[in-house]
């Protein structure tokens, strides 16, 4: 079972809003202090450059839908976005293709298997099961609008930058390192093609996918990106509409079911928020209507999720009353200012 280490931490009920600025700030600091010294987990090294990350890095950012941003620890350290990109590329292709069509094309159900599983694809007749594992993410990247690979890249980079509210750049070293070692993703793309499930060149699509995974972000960036999904598709800092409210909703539903790979059920059980993690150590968790928590710390558990990130998010979900399943008897709060 996922160790969230929240023994004795009071579960606040989910209400319509975050507590005031001061309280959010205080709890973000408390979460950082409480889990800073945790040294369980290991830094990913299957993409060679990722092994250079400092295991001590730990940043927590909370972006509110009202536009406020709380930052504690290493929220300015840039890391490659990796799998977190899947959530936002998915939102962009949903915007293009719509609810029904995209649901058919990439699926929404959990595979119960690791993110890079080939078997998951085989067992499902070559149909990707969801866009948050590599097969479904590669299929989603292939659907990005653009007549050429360059135009598709432009759509991805510009789209993810709109979510972040600033121009995101690629870490070329990460891109080169992953490109040299991503034969498994190339195999997944070929397999999709063999089943008639990839409407683009497999090599070109994996290159685009690898480039999207190499975009550099900070904990604060992913918090703002998540808060855009929490804010009906409008970036709470720039106030630009990035996707429709329906697309934001659909993306969060897919994140709830699949964002933490085969640990998604445990995550929902313990933390109760749609979220997405990546192997470089980022996690973004979204509280619809309220905001998002972006954490960054490179030590990962066996499923590839950041250990400190999981714990800090669990702590903040409980203390800020973010768990979407946590309610209390309505009469018990009558007349109380909450
Ligand atoms: N680029 C990585 C891969 O495709 C992303 C995986 C992840 O963050 N879980 O293997």
């Amino acid at each position: 079972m996922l160790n969230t280490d929240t023994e004795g931490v009071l579960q606040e009920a989910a209400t319509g809003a975050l507590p005031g600025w001061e309280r959010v700030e205080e709890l973000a600091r408390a979460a950082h202090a409480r889990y800073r010294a945790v040294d369980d987990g290991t830094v990913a090294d299957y993409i060679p450059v990722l092994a250079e990350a400092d295991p001590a890095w730990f940043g927590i950012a909370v972006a509110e839908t009202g536009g406020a941003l709380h930052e504690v620890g290493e929220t300015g350290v840039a890391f490659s976005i990796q799998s977190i990109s899947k959530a936002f590329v998915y939102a962009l292709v949903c915007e293009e293709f719509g609810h029904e069509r995209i649901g058919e094309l990439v699926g929404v159900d959990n595979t119960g298997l690791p993110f890079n599983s080939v078997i998951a694809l085989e067992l499902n007749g070559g149909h990707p099961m969801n866009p948050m594992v590599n097969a479904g993410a590669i299929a989603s990247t292939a659907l990005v609008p653009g007549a050429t690979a360059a135009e598709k890249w432009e759509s991805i980079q510009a789209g993810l930058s709109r979510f972040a509210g600033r121009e995101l750049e690629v870490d070329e070293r990460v891109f080169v390192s992953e490109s040299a070692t991503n034969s498994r993703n190339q195999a997944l793309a070929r397999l999709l093609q063999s089943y008639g499930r990839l409407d683009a060149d497999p090599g070109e699509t994996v290159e685009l996918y690898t480039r999207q995974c190499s975009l550099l972000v900070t904990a604060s960036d992913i918090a703002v990106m998540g808060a855009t999904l929490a804010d009906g598709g409008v970036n709470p800092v720039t106030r630009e509409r990035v996707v429709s409210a329906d697309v934001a909703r659909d993306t969060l539903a897919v994140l709830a079911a699949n964002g933490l790979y085969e640990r998604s059920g445990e995550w929902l059980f313990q933390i109760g928020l749609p979220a997405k993690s990546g192997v470089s150590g980022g996690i973004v968790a979204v509280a619809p209507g309220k905001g998002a928590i972006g954490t960054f710390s490179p030590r990962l558990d066996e499923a590839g999720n950041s250990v400190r990130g999981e714990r800090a998010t669990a702590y903040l979900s409980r203390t800020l009353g973010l768990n979407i399943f946590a309610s209390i008897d309505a009469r018990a709060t009558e007349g109380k200012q909450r």
Side-chain angles (χ1 to χ4, degrees):
M1 197 38 123
L2 187 67
N3 175 4
T4 49
D5 194 11
T6 44
E7 194 63 36
V9 177
L10 189 69
Q11 170 71 70
E12 291 285 343
T15 62
L18 286 170
W21 189 91
E22 304 259 318
R23 182 75 180 140
V24 178
E25 183 75 13
E26 175 189 328
L27 289 169
R29 291 184 186 286
H32 194 271
R34 187 178 167 107
Y35 301 110
R36 179 171 53 201
V38 171
D39 63 358
D40 300 348
T42 46
V43 177
D45 58 5
Y46 79 101
I47 300 171
V49 163
L50 295 187
E52 295 172 10
D54 181 346
W57 281 332
F58 184 28
I60 301 177
V62 181
E64 301 190 14
T65 48
L69 183 64
H70 306 263
E71 299 176 305
V72 191
E74 275 89 30
T75 52
V77 172
F79 57 95
S80 53
I81 188 169
Q82 298 298 340
S83 275
I84 296 173
S85 65
K86 293 168 180 168
F88 300 97
V89 169
Y90 177 66
L92 296 175
V93 298
C94 273
E95 185 77 8
E96 196 65 20
F97 287 86
H99 183 92
E100 295 301 325
R101 185 86 185 105
I102 205 70
E104 277 163 31
L105 286 171
V106 285
V108 295
D109 282 324
N110 200 288
T111 62
L113 290 164
F115 66 87
N116 56 3
S117 176
V118 174
I119 286 187
L121 192 55
E122 288 287 30
L123 290 177
N124 202 38
H127 192 300
M129 286 189 70
N130 76 72
M132 298 304 139
V133 291
N134 289 13
I138 291 167
S140 302
T141 295
L143 296 172
V144 165
T148 60
E151 278 182 30
K152 287 184 180 193
W153 173 245
E154 166 60 26
S155 301
I156 295 173
Q157 187 173 24
L160 267 58
S161 296
R162 281 199 301 278
F163 273 109
R166 72 175 185 95
E167 197 60 40
L168 300 178
E169 303 287 346
V170 166
D171 184 330
E172 289 295 334
R173 287 191 67 228
V174 172
F175 174 68
V176 168
S177 182
E178 183 166 353
S179 296
T181 50
N182 66 355
S183 19
R184 201 176 173 91
N185 287 337
Q186 293 176 39
L188 282 170
R190 287 273 178 199
L191 201 56
L192 283 165
Q193 184 192 37
S194 77
Y195 281 110
R197 294 266 171 204
L198 195 73
D199 218 8
D201 178 73
E204 190 179 287
T205 306
V206 172
E207 191 180 322
L208 275 171
Y209 166 78
T210 307
R211 201 174 277 287
Q212 109 194 11
C213 288
S214 309
L215 281 168
L216 284 169
V217 288
T218 64
S220 301
D221 288 328
I222 58 173
V224 173
M225 294 172 88
T228 303
L229 295 176
D231 198 22
V234 174
N235 182 312
V237 177
T238 64
R239 305 302 308 158
E240 184 187 357
R241 173 165 296 286
V242 184
V243 289
S244 70
D246 283 359
V247 164
R249 175 205 61 205
D250 290 349
T251 306
L252 293 180
V254 169
L255 290 187
N258 310 298
L260 280 285
Y261 317 120
E262 69 273 33
R263 292 285 174 82
S264 299
E266 278 189 36
W267 172 277
L268 218 47
F269 185 62
Q270 306 268 39
I271 296 172
L273 287 174
K276 187 72 205 86
S277 65
V279 287
S280 45
I283 303 182
V284 57
V286 182
K290 299 176 184 170
I293 304 165
T295 58
F296 168 58
S297 191
R299 286 184 189 270
L300 310 179
D301 66 16
E302 320 78 67
N305 301 319
S306 167
V307 175
R308 288 189 198 125
E310 277 174 345
R311 294 186 189 176
T313 308
Y315 177 85
L316 287 171
S317 173
R318 291 182 82 87
T319 55
L320 289 170
L322 304 181
N323 187 317
I324 57 178
F325 306 110
S327 59
I328 50 169
D329 175 358
R331 272 158 298 259
T333 57
E334 245 170 43
K336 276 196 195 161
Q337 199 62 40
R338 289 192 58 90

